[in-house]
């Protein structure tokens, strides 16, 4: 596994907001709970950590702990996160 330090630094430099809920356009990031395999939609919280979790490809980057859950690449639960998009559209 690679340490995600360089990716974290890149995200800190280029993400325009510190928290997802600060985005001008609603921002939702999909990750996978490593233990349950459940799709997790992140709509608030630290933007860098949320994107790191979504990009944590197994065997390359370690999972990221958010709210007590170990999160990895969202494609593990849903290659195309349509279920998250549909759920967000229903709740809007």
């Amino acid at each position: 596994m690679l340490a995600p330090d360089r990716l974290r630094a890149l995200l800190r430099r280029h993400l325009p907001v510190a928290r997802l809920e600060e985005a001008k356009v609603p921002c939702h990031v999909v990750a996978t709970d490593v233990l349950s395999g459940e799709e997790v939609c992140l709509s608030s919280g630290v933007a860098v950590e949320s994107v790191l979790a979504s990009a944590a490809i197994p065997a390359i980057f370690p999972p990221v702990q958010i709210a007590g859950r170990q999160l990895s690449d969202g494609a593990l639960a849903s290659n195309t996160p349509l279920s998250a998009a549909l759920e967000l559209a229903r709740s809007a």
Side-chain angles (χ1 to χ4, degrees):
M1 268 192 210
L2 300 173
D5 302 335
R6 294 174 108 176
L7 179 55
R8 181 177 277 114
L10 178 77
L11 292 170
R12 282 187 180 140
R13 224 177 11 257
H14 293 286
L15 285 176
V17 295
R19 300 186 58 82
L20 294 176
E21 62 269 28
E22 295 171 353
K24 290 180 183 178
V25 174
C27 180
H28 309 283
V29 178
V30 177
T32 301
D33 183 310
V34 174
L35 296 178
S36 70
E38 177 185 4
E39 177 181 278
V40 178
C41 185
L42 303 167
S43 301
S44 63
V46 179
V48 168
E49 296 304 306
S50 298
V51 174
L52 274 177
S54 183
I57 299 167
I60 297 176
F61 292 120
V64 176
Q65 184 166 336
I66 297 177
R69 300 173 96 171
Q70 293 293 319
L71 302 179
S72 266
D73 183 6
L76 296 173
S78 179
N79 192 26
T80 306
L82 293 176
S83 57
L86 290 171
E87 184 62 34
L88 289 164
R90 281 187 211 115
S91 64

